[in-house]
């Protein structure tokens, strides 16, 4: 978002300014809530725009609000994020309810919700949250004072917070690869939950039988033994998704030589049990890392002696077969709450998987087995903003109407030829100053899709780079280079860009460049600050922001790409956007200036949002951390952030984009600059010297000395700036769109700000 040297946060009225003046500028609530902002996509108003995106979603049923109806808990392994929906009984649909995500504990890589101890309360199984990566953790659920509480399960009171089984060699961890999905269900129909998972070889399935009932123990204990290392008698090929079947029940597949199949194959398999025929034993659905489909294995045996004696690689057989890249998983749950378990199929991989039309919903029309009908390929996704993968978004007034629009970059949609379809996407603000609303206008803004074959993961930024008082665009990409798109429209006009210059000044600080345009050293020339993948060490300092000073002139920006040559530096402000457990930084800076202060915001690899101050006149010093987890907001990994007061309520909103391709707007308690109240009080006589208000074409400004007069849009975009002499001056504003604007008068004595309305 564009910031000027005299950037002012906007508000609705001077009365509101005085009301806010008693508040701290930033009080930081524990958790910022989602804003109520309407989005439409190709004419369809989205019911839950900020729920997305979904890349590798896993689906479970759970009564989140304790109303007697199962709701949806979606866990996306991309970012290890929980997304919660409540079931609306009257409307027979799901309502996005992000507030319920906070009741769930730390979850990693996969989630299965079951009631393992038969107490009527959901318990949660997940990837190991302690110790070994290839293990299983379990949280025991309870309801206390009508609220869920979860306790990480420890065996027999010992400090063993994983699931174990008893073997002749002693206690061992139940194995499950971090990229696999096991099944946890009462597979032998004895009343306690068992576990099946692919063993370390990746070819066979181990059966961990729960012996709680057999041993007369309490259900809380879950006493496991590994009673079968070739469950169902089948094996997966070491080369592809081929499944090899045993010729008889109780045996394991062997090669013609009589020897077992070589026990080595690729990792990456998902297993789901379901009773497709309603005959009381469980058949299996298998997803494989090498396949675009789900295989169904039919159990010709019993619950006690399972024997998978038939396989079909095109599940479901009777309707549209699930087919998308790559490595799919199936989830069995009653989606429409009609008493029949339905099926959802989606990817389980974290990269190179389908990221659009990737949640396939099949409705089951029978309560005895499964009779599936394909419903849609975009279940829930058709109601959310999902731009593909690796979104990055900024507020900017594209059409010059004074409202904050949104331009988002994305790596795009994954396709069968392993190519992403990167682009910039433009959402126009079709609302009002007080009630923003967004509509998709351009799915290839500024024609950047033409570069997607050689450049992906576009990250836009906006500002007046060349000093001609209009808004230019600089775009970073995954390779670490930047594009410069000069705005040739002129001051106050809708943005119109010249052909972009790629590898601008050969600037390349590191991979995944995310630029910001801002005059950091306050010399009147816009500089570049670029975030990147890594943290840097330079001259005894650590940081992840790369500063390139503009050494050109107004109208002719020039940059030296050597970060080791001062005043350039790869460690601006010693801002290291990297937590102790983060492998990367993925910094993405945004500057925002008030009358007295300058703030810096950034997203991160971990998804946490950062805020810094003590930036003015401190270009060689260390910036102060205001927050390393701003507002408690978590939208998943690889977030970017932008801020603006888009609804003119006196508080900033945050625009957060994430790795899964989603966008979300959060309200904040960061107050729109009360610091300039003092200047309004001191120079209040100026208020009556700006007229008429509202104005149609000519705004009269009476000045008591030579001053710079500037007009800003609601997103602090500089639209007009002029040097005016003392006396009555007439400003033409007929080129401005109807709306609310801020006029700023600056001279060597004072700075005065006033809001006016253009009719």
């Amino acid at each position: 978002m564009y910031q000027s040297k005299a950037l002012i946060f906007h508000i609705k009225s001077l009365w509101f300014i005085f009301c806010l003046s008693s508040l701290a500028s930033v009080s930081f609530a524990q958790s910022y809530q989602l804003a109520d902002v309407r989005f439409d996509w190709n004419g369809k108003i989205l019911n839950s725009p900020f729920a997305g995106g979904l890349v590798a979603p896993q689906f479970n049923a759970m009564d989140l609000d304790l109303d007697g109806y199962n709701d949806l808990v979606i866990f996306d392994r991309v970012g290890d994020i929980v997304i919660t929906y409540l079931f609306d009984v009257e409307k027979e649909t799901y309502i996005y309810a992000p507030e319920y995500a906070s009741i769930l504990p730390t979850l990693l890589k996969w989630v299965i919700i079951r009631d393992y101890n038969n107490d009527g309360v959901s318990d949660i199984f997940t990837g190991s949250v302690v110790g070994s990566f290839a293990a299983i953790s379990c949280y025991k659920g309870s309801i206390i004072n009508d609220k869920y509480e979860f306790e990480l399960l420890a065996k027999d009171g010992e400090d063993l917070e994983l699931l174990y089984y008893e073997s002749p060699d002693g206690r061992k961890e139940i194995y499950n690869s971090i990229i696999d999905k096991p099944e946890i269900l009462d597979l032998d129909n004895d009343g306690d939950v068992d576990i099946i998972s692919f063993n370390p070889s990746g070819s066979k399935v181990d059966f961990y039988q729960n012996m709680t009932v057999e041993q007369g123990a309490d259900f809380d204990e879950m006493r496991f033994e590994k009673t079968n290392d070739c469950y169902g008698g089948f094996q997966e090929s070491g080369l592809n998704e081929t499944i090899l079947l045993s010729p008889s029940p109780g045996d394991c597949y062997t090669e013609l030589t009589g020897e077992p199949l070589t026990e080595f194959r690729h990792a990456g398999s998902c297993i789901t049990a379901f009773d497709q025929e309603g005959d009381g034993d469980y058949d299996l659905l298998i997803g494989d890392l090498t396949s675009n489909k789900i295989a169904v294995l039919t159990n010709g045996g019993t619950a006690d002696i399972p024997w998978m004696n038939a396989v079909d690689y095109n599940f479901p057989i009777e309707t549209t077969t699930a087919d998308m890249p790559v490595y799919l998983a199936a989830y069995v749950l009653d989606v429409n709450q009609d008493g029949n378990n339905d099926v959802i199929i989606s990817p389980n991989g974290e990269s190179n998987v389908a990221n659009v039309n990737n949640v396939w919903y099949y409705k089951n029309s029978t309560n005895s087995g499964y009779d599936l009908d394909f419903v849609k390929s975009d279940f829930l996704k058709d109601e959310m903003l999902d731009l593909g993968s690796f979104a990055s978004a900024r507020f900017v007034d594209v059409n010059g109407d004074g409202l904050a629009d949104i331009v988002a970059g994305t790596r795009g949609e994954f396709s069968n030829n392993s190519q992403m379809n990167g682009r910039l996407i433009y959402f126009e603000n079709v609302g009002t100053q007080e009630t923003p609303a967004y509509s998709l206008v351009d799915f290839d803004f500024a024609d950047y899709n033409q570069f997607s074959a050689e450049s992906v993961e576009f990250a836009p930024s906006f500002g007046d780079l060349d000093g001609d008082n209009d808004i230019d665009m600089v775009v970073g990409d995954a390779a670490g280079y930047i594009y410069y798109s000069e705005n040739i429209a002129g001051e106050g006009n809708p943005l119109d860009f010249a052909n972009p210059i790629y590898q601008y000044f050969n600037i390349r600080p590191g991979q995944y460049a995310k630029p910001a345009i801002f005059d950091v050293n306050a010399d009147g020339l816009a500089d570049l600050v670029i975030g990147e993948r890594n943290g840097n060490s330079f001259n005894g300092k650590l940081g992840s922001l790369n500063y390139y000073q503009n050494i050109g002139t107004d109208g002719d920006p020039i940059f030296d790409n050597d970060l080791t040559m001062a005043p350039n530096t790869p460690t601006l402000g010693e801002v290291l956007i990297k937590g102790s457990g983060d492998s990367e930084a993925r910094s993405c800076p945004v500057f925002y200036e008030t009358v007295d202060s300058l703030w810096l915001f950034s997203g991160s690899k971990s998804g946490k949002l950062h805020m810094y101050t003590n930036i003015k006149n401190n270009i060689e010093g260390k910036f102060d951390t205001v927050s390393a987890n701003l507002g408690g907001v978590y939208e998943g990994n690889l977030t970017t952030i932008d801020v603006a007061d888009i609804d003119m309520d006196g508080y900033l909103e945050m625009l957060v984009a994430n790795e899964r391709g989603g966008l979300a707007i959060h309200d904040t308690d960061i107050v729109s600059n009360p610091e300039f109240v003092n200047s309004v009080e001191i120079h209040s006589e100026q208020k009556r010297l700006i007229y008429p208000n509202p104005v149609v074409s000519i705004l009269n400004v009476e000045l008591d000395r030579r001053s710079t007069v500037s007009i800003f849009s609601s997103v602090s975009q500089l639209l007009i700036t002029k040097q005016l002499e003392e006396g009555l001056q007439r400003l033409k504003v007929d080129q401005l769109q109807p709306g609310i604007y801020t006029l700023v008068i600056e001279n060597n004595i004072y700075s005065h700000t006033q809001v006016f309305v253009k009719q």
Side-chain angles (χ1 to χ4, degrees):
M1 193 192 71
Y2 176 77
Q3 277 80 23
S4 77
K5 305 162 200 171
L7 185 63
I8 306 296
F9 290 121
H10 306 307
I11 39 130
K12 295 177 185 175
S13 66
L14 292 175
W15 170 250
F16 191 53
I17 297 175
F18 286 107
C19 291
L20 293 176
S21 63
S22 62
L23 301 176
S25 61
V26 185
S27 57
F28 297 118
Q30 288 299 309
S31 181
Y32 291 159
Q33 302 302 307
L34 289 172
D36 183 13
V37 179
R38 192 191 79 191
F39 272 79
D40 77 69
W41 186 281
N42 290 334
K44 176 183 178 179
I45 297 176
L46 303 178
N47 289 330
S48 50
F50 303 147
L54 296 176
V55 176
Q58 304 173 12
F59 293 82
N60 283 274
M62 177 179 173
D63 185 4
L64 292 167
D65 57 356
L66 302 175
D67 68 348
Y69 291 90
N70 273 333
D71 308 301
L72 275 182
V73 174
I74 303 171
F75 175 80
D76 200 314
R77 67 184 295 141
V78 174
D80 292 325
I81 187 170
V82 174
I83 302 163
T84 47
Y85 282 80
L86 296 182
F87 183 70
D88 188 314
V89 179
E90 293 184 359
K91 297 180 180 179
E92 297 184 345
T93 189
Y94 289 96
I95 307 298
Y96 181 46
E99 64 273 19
Y100 285 90
S102 63
I103 71 176
L104 301 177
T106 300
L107 304 172
L108 292 174
K109 300 309 172 188
W110 58 268
V111 171
I112 295 175
I113 297 179
R114 301 282 189 261
D115 178 11
Y116 78 82
N117 56 359
N118 295 324
D119 65 352
V121 180
S122 293
D123 309 300
I124 303 176
F125 297 84
T126 187
S128 171
V129 297
V130 294
S132 170
F133 286 114
I136 298 174
S137 291
C138 177
Y139 291 92
K140 177 182 177 181
S142 58
I143 298 174
I144 300 174
N145 296 325
D146 294 325
K147 294 181 179 180
Y148 281 100
E149 292 189 8
F150 292 95
E151 177 184 4
L152 189 59
L153 197 63
K155 181 70 173 178
D156 298 330
E158 303 175 30
D159 187 23
L160 299 172
E161 295 169 326
L162 299 170
L163 294 190
Y164 293 80
Y165 70 97
E166 299 296 335
S167 77
D169 299 325
R171 180 176 289 167
K172 294 184 178 180
E173 298 172 1
I174 293 177
Y175 177 85
N176 185 74
S177 167
I178 196 171
I179 66 172
D180 288 357
K181 184 190 85 70
E183 180 61 285
I184 301 174
L185 204 62
D186 182 11
L187 294 163
D188 56 6
N189 294 330
D190 67 351
D192 51 28
V193 297
D194 310 298
I195 299 175
I196 51 175
S197 64
F198 277 89
N199 63 24
S201 74
S203 64
K204 298 188 298 182
V205 172
D206 290 332
F207 176 48
Y208 299 94
Q209 185 176 4
N210 190 342
M211 307 300 291
T212 298
V213 170
E214 286 81 354
Q215 297 177 11
D218 189 280
F219 280 111
D220 278 327
E221 294 192 35
M222 285 198 296
R223 297 182 177 182
F224 290 105
E225 294 180 7
K226 186 165 72 170
T227 59
N228 192 334
D229 63 1
C230 190
Y231 182 84
F234 71 94
Q235 294 193 56
E236 278 201 295
S237 166
L239 302 176
N240 51 47
E241 74 274 19
T242 301
I243 295 174
L244 307 165
L245 305 177
S246 166
S248 58
D251 295 331
C252 191
Y253 170 84
T254 58
E255 295 182 312
L256 294 177
T257 61
E259 297 297 322
L261 186 71
T262 302
E263 292 198 356
F264 177 79
R265 64 180 298 277
H266 58 270
S269 295
C270 297
I271 187 167
T272 299
F274 79 132
D275 185 2
Q276 69 171 328
E277 299 159 331
D279 58 359
D281 57 42
Y282 283 100
D283 312 287
L284 299 179
L285 298 172
I286 303 291
D288 186 84
L289 185 64
T290 65
S291 177
N292 284 10
K293 297 184 178 182
I294 290 281
V296 56
L297 280 68
T298 300
N299 186 355
T302 65
D304 292 327
I305 305 177
W307 174 40
M308 305 303 155
N309 66 341
V311 60
D312 194 292
Y313 298 98
N314 295 286
F315 179 84
I317 303 168
E318 66 274 17
T319 185
T320 304
T321 297
D323 188 354
M324 56 182 141
V326 65
Y327 186 25
L328 308 183
Y331 305 92
V332 174
L333 65 160
D334 185 0
V335 174
N336 60 352
Q337 313 264 353
D338 65 353
N340 305 327
N341 276 337
D342 308 299
V343 175
I344 293 176
I345 296 176
S346 58
N348 190 55
E350 296 186 58
S351 61
N352 296 329
V353 298
N355 57 11
V356 295
N357 295 317
N358 62 340
V359 182
W360 292 35
Y361 166 38
Y362 296 87
K363 179 183 176 182
N364 182 14
S365 58
T366 180
N367 58 12
S368 178
Y370 287 80
D371 183 7
L372 298 177
D373 291 311
F374 175 70
V375 178
K376 59 170 61 177
S377 64
D378 56 354
F379 176 62
L380 296 181
K381 294 190 63 160
D382 57 347
E383 297 291 351
M384 65 177 64
L385 289 168
D386 194 328
L387 310 184
S389 290
F390 301 97
S392 177
R394 293 290 182 264
F395 289 123
V396 62
D397 184 3
V398 173
N399 57 2
D401 65 354
L403 302 178
D405 306 308
I406 293 173
V407 173
T410 172
R411 183 176 285 189
E413 305 169 4
F414 185 80
S415 61
N416 285 322
N417 61 3
S418 301
Q419 293 294 318
M420 298 297 252
N421 199 13
R423 62 187 64 242
L424 298 176
I425 301 172
Y426 165 39
F427 296 92
E428 180 185 355
N429 188 342
V430 295
T432 65
Q433 291 280 355
E434 298 180 2
T435 308
Y438 291 92
S439 178
L440 174 65
V441 170
D442 192 343
F443 201 58
D444 186 17
F445 180 71
D447 198 25
Y448 262 69
N449 182 245
Q450 65 179 306
F451 308 117
S452 62
E454 65 272 0
S455 187
V456 297
E457 200 165 326
F458 296 122
S461 62
F462 298 90
D464 183 9
L465 190 66
D466 56 5
D468 63 353
N469 295 327
D470 60 19
I471 306 304
D472 308 303
M473 179 169 66
V474 174
V475 178
D477 71 359
Y481 291 107
I482 61 174
Y483 294 80
Y484 169 49
S485 292
E486 180 188 359
N487 183 3
I488 56 176
E491 183 178 343
N493 295 314
L495 305 186
D496 182 19
F497 297 112
N499 290 331
I501 301 171
Y502 186 45
Q503 299 185 10
Y504 185 59
F505 282 101
N506 205 32
I507 291 172
R508 192 189 188 193
Q511 290 180 310
Y512 305 105
K514 292 187 169 51
I517 303 170
F518 191 79
D519 182 8
V520 179
N521 62 350
D523 67 351
L525 302 176
D527 308 306
L528 289 172
V529 178
I530 303 178
E532 57 159 308
R533 176 177 184 170
N534 297 316
N536 302 309
S537 176
F538 182 70
N539 286 344
K541 297 179 180 180
L542 298 176
S544 51
L545 298 182
N546 302 273
Y547 171 61
Y548 297 87
Q549 181 175 308
N550 187 345
I551 56 176
T553 60
D554 260 346
D556 185 23
I558 297 174
F559 297 92
D560 187 335
N561 61 29
D562 188 350
L563 283 167
T564 67
M565 296 295 293
N568 290 357
T569 176
T571 58
L572 178 67
E574 299 183 53
V575 171
L576 185 61
I577 313 288
K578 188 177 181 181
S580 57
D582 294 341
S583 59
E584 303 172 1
R586 294 295 190 101
S587 51
C588 47
V590 169
F591 290 90
Y592 207 103
E593 189 175 16
T594 72
V595 168
D596 299 322
S597 303
L598 175 58
W599 292 334
L600 167 68
F601 299 87
S602 179
S604 66
K605 163 70 173 178
S606 69
K608 292 183 178 179
L609 306 176
H610 298 245
M611 180 178 178
Y612 300 86
T613 189
N614 188 26
I615 302 166
K616 284 188 174 182
N617 303 315
N618 191 29
I619 195 170
E620 297 181 0
K622 184 175 183 178
F623 301 163
D624 294 338
T625 302
V626 177
S627 176
N629 186 21
L630 185 59
V633 170
Y634 182 68
E635 293 288 348
N637 287 347
L638 297 177
T639 50
T640 68
I641 181 176
D642 200 4
V643 294
D645 183 5
I646 65 171
D647 57 5
M648 299 293 290
D649 67 348
Y651 295 86
L652 293 181
E653 281 73 44
M654 296 192 312
L655 174 62
V656 183
N658 64 61
E659 175 184 15
R660 305 181 324 278
L663 302 181
I665 298 177
H666 288 263
D667 292 323
T668 80
D669 58 358
I670 305 175
V671 177
S672 292
N673 188 27
E675 289 89 343
F676 71 82
V677 172
N678 290 335
S679 89
V680 173
E681 290 176 326
I682 294 171
H683 302 285
S684 60
E685 70 276 5
Q686 286 285 347
K687 290 184 288 186
R688 56 183 169 80
L689 301 181
I690 300 174
Y691 58 91
N693 191 3
V695 61
V696 176
S697 60
I698 301 296
L699 183 66
N700 296 305
V701 183
E702 291 192 17
L703 301 174
D704 59 0
R705 65 195 71 242
R706 178 181 171 85
S707 303
T708 299
V709 177
S710 305
I711 294 176
F712 295 88
S713 71
S714 62
V715 291
S716 303
Q717 179 175 324
L718 179 63
L719 303 176
I720 298 173
T721 184
K722 294 182 179 295
Q723 290 283 337
L724 299 178
E725 300 297 327
E726 179 182 349
L728 176 62
Q729 304 295 332
R730 292 163 58 84
L731 276 177
K732 288 188 63 176
V733 294
D734 55 348
Q735 73 273 32
L736 299 179
Q737 296 293 322
I740 301 175
Y741 297 85
T742 298
L743 182 140
V744 179
I745 299 172
E746 293 180 291
N747 52 53
N748 59 356
I749 304 297
Y750 61 81
S751 174
H752 167 69
T753 301
Q754 185 168 343
V755 174
F756 70 92
V757 177
K758 167 65 170 63
Q759 291 184 330

